[in-house]
Amino acid sequence: MAAGPYSDETLWTADITRLVIRVMEDVNLTFDTLSGDTHALNFLSAAVIQVLSSGKETFASAAPRVLETIGMEESDCPKGLIKDTILQLDEAGLVIPARGGE
Amino acid sequence: MEHFRRLGDVPYPELAQSLKDGCLEMSLGPFSKRLKANNSQVTEFLQDAYRDVPVRTKLGDITDVAVTIKSPSWFRQYVRRQVVADPGFIVPAVPLPVRLSALSFEMGLNLAVALKCCRLVSFHAAVVGNEKGAIFISAHSGGGKSTLASALMVEGYRLFSDEFGLLDMSNSLLVPYPRPVSLKGDSINIVRDFTGADWLTPVLSDTPKGDIAYRRARPSDIEEADKKLSSKLIVFPVFTKGARPVAKELAKSEALMRLIPSSTNYHLLGQGGFEALTAMVAGARSYEIQYGNTDDSMKIVKDLAAGVGL
Amino acid sequence: MQKKNDQSGTFLNRRRQLLKLGAAGMPMVLTLRASAAQAVISQLTCVITLPGSLKILVDDTGAAWVGDGSLETGTTKGKGKGKGKGKGKGKGSEGWTLESINAFKENADFVFDEGSVPSEFRPDECEEVEECSSGGGDDDGDDDDELLAHLVDENGSYALNDFLAGSGDDDDGSCHGHGGGGDDDDSSHGHDQGVVDCGYACYEYSSGSTITPGDFVNGSGFNYTGDEGVFLALAVSHSESAGLNSSFPGVSCVISVLNFVGQ
């Protein structure tokens, strides 16, 4: 499901409009109308989608915006975890690398 | 047009002829069915297990489901006779000896509903309820849902369904479909002990699933089959012989992610199925219960039901 | 997506604990695949099989009656010109008796309001006589007396909005799409002796007919064509108005396809 090779310069994006989201007890139950898949996203992965839906970001540029969204410090949520989360979302088909130098 | 009659009131010759002609129309819950079988074992099984269900011996309407019990081949009509259920579409089905025709019939009916119903979200579950709401019991085969449902019927709960939990996508209410409860192995004797033998069909021995008997739905269950209810309690029973009884509440998200794989058609229904299921889970409390005998599971479920006002 | 206002200590501690588990390798995303390919196949390949014969009677307003009653034929008198659509063969001046049309309507299992049937499946309105009588003196050339005569059935009651017809049809008493077959200049028209040969079309489906709704799906939804198109149009209409409780034949299959195409 992952979109392919990536680097630290890869820009990532997401399309939140195709997702139907129901929040239950801090879990974002998400139905992807494009794939028909159902996902359980925790608050971090949900925040990553929210950030990448509002603009294309690299791993590095996404991190501070994600931390701001979840209201936590890097000491709580290391950048490596945010990168791993983006890659997990890529595997799930919920984020994609922006193509063509966009 | 012929009126519906209680199946048990239809004389055997008329019932047999109607089945032979493929004209028996059965109305139960959200489905009407057209049944065809030139087979005395199916006729007798229907007279017993479905005796309180409304039927017409002349087809009066177009039906949702059509099931035919037939021989898998010309040869098997005569030599080591076998039957197979034809639910109206191509699906792998195991031919069974003719003495297991009743099981073949039930399996065919299950297949038809499980695989071709797209107006309700269908789950492998048992459901019972009272006027305040429903208890949804989700378990793998052998997990004890049928035994538990039978025990709860004795406690006064309506039987909604045994093999299916059917969820209306328009309002997230559970839809009754009170077919006979399928009991296997040790649960046959357990249920016989607390319901009485009159409510059970004769045992089918040495089936691919072991011994099987059916606990008939009560007339009141069938009469109230048009009354839908919201789910108040979702339980995931896990039977381990001799285990100490424990109930663990589940997060709603976990309950939902457990229920999806138990659905036979969720993957077909798209957003409508997701929204109905999330609404159902949001309105209920969910528990995994571990138990070692029926008495324990009954006590736990009754306590949990009381906790949600059932 | 986020509840930033719920920042109590317990809540934050729970989130911090979750992040620690994530850093230790616990997945942040749990996915259940839907198997979209299977959905495509299953949802579009359901088939409706009709276990009994069925007729759909359509009038020129797009109203429809669905049932299994019979429509008796008779012969009209007079002359006129009509045209329409349907399966008729366009010969002769046979029509249906008003009595059988009314009986069919009364006994119909399903009734659909005006506009329910797409226009391409409706019969044309009955046209008025070109060779008007000379006695009326209407400026427009119509013969209102004759028109009136054709609008009133044997019992003196108004039965139809229009008169005059296109085709006739076979005379075996079943449904063959009267009004069909195109222009029929030399045929008789309207209704006479309680017989009408215009303003209605009928579509008949024999026992065992199969209809695969998925065959009628295009990029924007259903593309209604052929006689099956009439059936499908009404099935969709009924599923939309009656929802999941619709009892129209094959509605489960239709809803399955509707779910797929997102209508």
Side-chain angles (χ1 to χ4, degrees):
Chain A
M1 194 74 175
Y6 62 88
S7 69
D8 286 345
E9 283 71 47
T10 299
L11 289 168
W12 295 89
T13 186
D15 177 11
I16 204 168
T17 61
R18 75 181 209 218
L19 305 179
V20 181
I21 299 168
R22 298 286 179 270
V23 181
M24 290 185 181
E25 298 160 343
D26 208 26
V27 176
N28 290 251
L29 292 159
T30 302
F31 181 78
D32 186 343
T33 57
L34 190 64
S35 67
D37 294 339
T38 304
H39 311 270
L41 308 180
N42 67 16
F43 72 99
L44 176 59
S45 46
V48 169
I49 288 181
Q50 190 175 335
V51 165
L52 297 183
S53 286
S54 62
K56 302 178 184 96
E57 305 283 356
T58 63
F59 295 131
S61 67
R65 295 193 56 204
V66 170
L67 291 174
E68 183 187 358
T69 302
I70 62 177
M72 301 182 97
E73 304 296 328
E74 190 177 341
S75 56
D76 294 320
C77 182
K79 286 179 181 173
L81 180 56
I82 294 173
K83 176 181 175 180
D84 286 348
T85 302
I86 292 174
L87 294 176
Q88 287 178 39
L89 290 168
D90 178 32
E91 192 67 33
L94 292 171
V95 302
I96 55 170
R99 302 281 185 188
E102 296 168 34
Chain B
M1 190 180 289
E2 181 187 335
H3 293 294
F4 280 100
R5 284 178 283 170
R6 180 178 167 272
L7 192 148
D9 293 337
V10 179
Y12 183 93
E14 183 184 352
L15 183 66
Q17 187 64 46
S18 175
L19 273 169
K20 183 180 178 184
D21 296 340
C23 291
L24 188 71
E25 182 180 342
M26 176 185 284
S27 176
L28 184 58
F31 305 113
S32 62
K33 306 177 240 331
R34 178 165 65 100
L35 307 177
K36 182 175 184 178
N38 185 11
N39 180 314
S40 61
Q41 308 213 18
V42 172
T43 311
E44 288 163 8
F45 175 70
L46 288 173
Q47 278 199 314
D48 184 1
Y50 286 82
R51 70 185 185 192
D52 294 308
V53 175
V55 295
R56 287 196 284 221
T57 54
K58 292 187 177 66
L59 204 57
D61 206 345
I62 292 172
T63 56
D64 300 288
V65 169
V67 173
T68 301
I69 303 300
K70 61 183 185 182
S71 172
S73 67
W74 173 85
F75 183 68
R76 289 296 179 207
Q77 288 183 52
Y78 304 103
V79 180
R80 292 173 61 193
R81 296 173 62 204
Q82 290 183 332
V83 293
V84 68
D86 176 3
F89 51 89
I90 297 172
V91 64
V94 182
L96 295 173
V98 73
R99 67 179 180 82
L100 300 181
S101 296
L103 177 60
S104 184
F105 170 79
E106 286 293 301
M107 290 165 69
L109 210 47
N110 288 344
L111 278 174
V113 170
L115 299 182
K116 288 298 179 184
C117 167
C118 289
R119 55 193 165 107
L120 303 164
V121 193
S122 164
F123 299 90
H124 185 217
V127 182
V128 296
N130 61 21
E131 68 280 5
K132 293 171 184 166
I135 301 173
F136 188 103
I137 306 164
S138 174
H140 294 296
S141 193
K145 61 183 169 47
S146 298
T147 313
L148 185 54
S150 299
L152 289 165
M153 287 168 70
V154 175
E155 293 293 317
Y157 287 90
R158 280 168 57 198
L159 172 67
F160 264 52
S161 46
D162 174 40
E163 290 292 333
F164 294 100
L166 298 172
L167 182 63
D168 188 329
M169 285 198 289
S170 65
N171 52 24
S172 298
L173 297 178
L174 290 165
V175 182
Y177 183 39
R179 280 175 45 207
V181 178
S182 169
L183 303 167
K184 302 175 191 72
D186 293 343
S187 66
I188 297 172
N189 287 332
I190 294 170
V191 173
R192 185 185 286 121
D193 285 346
F194 58 65
T195 63
D198 288 349
W199 285 101
L200 266 64
T201 65
V203 176
L204 296 170
S205 301
D206 301 324
T207 81
K209 298 181 177 181
D211 290 351
I212 291 180
Y214 293 91
R215 195 260 195 246
R216 203 179 301 115
R218 297 162 298 197
S220 58
D221 300 323
I222 294 163
E223 286 159 11
E224 296 187 287
D226 59 341
K227 293 179 182 171
K228 304 173 187 177
L229 283 175
S230 59
S231 178
K232 299 286 188 215
L233 179 64
I234 300 170
V235 293
F236 298 87
V238 179
F239 173 75
T240 306
K241 201 164 188 174
R244 191 171 58 86
V246 179
K248 179 181 78 172
E249 183 159 15
L250 300 177
K252 292 184 187 301
S253 54
E254 183 174 351
L256 184 132
M257 295 305 259
R258 284 189 183 203
L259 287 173
I260 290 173
S262 76
S263 170
T264 61
N265 64 356
Y266 175 84
H267 62 289
L268 298 175
L269 301 177
Q271 184 176 341
F274 172 78
E275 291 183 339
L277 181 54
T278 48
M280 180 181 98
V281 172
R285 293 180 71 172
S286 302
Y287 295 87
E288 177 185 287
I289 59 171
Q290 297 191 27
Y291 69 100
N293 60 61
T294 303
D295 287 344
D296 285 347
S297 68
M298 270 296 296
K299 184 174 184 314
I300 294 175
V301 172
K302 282 172 68 177
D303 288 347
L304 296 175
V308 296
L310 290 176
Chain C
M1 261 178 150
Q2 300 293 312
K3 292 181 176 177
K4 293 181 72 171
N5 56 348
D6 186 2
Q7 301 284 291
S8 69
T10 307
F11 179 79
L12 280 175
N13 284 339
R14 203 166 52 234
R15 283 189 161 192
R16 286 192 183 101
Q17 188 65 31
L18 188 64
L19 293 174
K20 282 180 185 171
L21 292 169
M26 190 184 82
M28 297 286 103
V29 180
L30 178 61
T31 296
L32 292 173
R33 301 262 181 241
S35 185
Q38 185 180 357
V40 170
I41 294 167
S42 301
Q43 280 188 274
L44 292 181
T45 55
C46 62
V47 177
I48 301 168
T49 302
L50 303 181
S53 64
L54 191 73
K55 294 188 187 75
I56 298 177
L57 181 68
V58 179
D59 76 6
D60 55 27
T61 69
W65 296 261
V66 181
D68 59 359
S70 62
L71 290 166
E72 303 299 331
T73 57
T75 306
T76 60
K77 294 177 181 177
K79 292 181 178 179
K81 179 180 178 182
K83 59 183 179 181
K85 299 183 178 72
K87 297 193 293 182
K89 295 180 179 176
K91 291 180 181 176
S93 57
E94 289 82 8
W96 293 304
T97 64
L98 276 172
E99 188 179 9
S100 69
I101 284 184
N102 289 332
F104 186 90
K105 288 181 175 179
E106 285 173 12
N107 294 320
D109 296 322
F110 300 93
V111 179
F112 292 85
D113 294 337
E114 292 180 9
S116 298
V117 177
S119 56
E120 61 265 35
F121 298 112
R122 301 178 198 169
D124 287 350
E125 289 182 43
C126 296
E127 292 184 351
E128 294 171 0
V129 183
E130 289 180 345
E131 312 90 339
C132 303
S133 73
S134 58
D138 288 315
D139 292 337
D140 60 8
D142 289 342
D143 187 335
D144 287 351
D145 290 339
E146 185 171 318
L147 174 63
L148 186 61
H150 285 89
L151 287 169
V152 182
D153 68 14
E154 285 177 314
N155 300 318
S157 60
Y158 283 81
L160 297 170
N161 293 327
D162 295 295
F163 78 116
L164 294 177
S167 70
D169 213 325
D170 295 338
D171 58 358
D172 62 3
S174 62
C175 157
H176 295 281
H178 280 251
D183 293 345
D184 191 5
D185 287 350
D186 62 354
S187 70
S188 59
H189 61 278
H191 69 88
D192 208 344
Q193 304 295 318
V195 174
V196 294
D197 60 355
C198 65
Y200 287 95
C202 183
Y203 300 84
E204 184 167 15
Y205 308 85
S206 58
S207 176
S209 296
T210 58
I211 299 169
T212 307
D215 291 346
F216 296 82
V217 172
N218 62 18
S220 58
F222 278 114
N223 173 34
Y224 302 117
T225 58
D227 293 351
E228 290 89 349
V230 185
F231 180 93
L232 273 182
L234 294 181
V236 170
S237 170
H238 209 260
S239 69
E240 288 171 350
S241 60
L244 300 170
N245 295 319
S246 170
S247 56
F248 197 80
V251 79
S252 291
C253 181
V254 169
I255 288 176
S256 158
V257 177
L258 287 172
N259 280 332
F260 175 76
V261 299
Q263 289 189 340

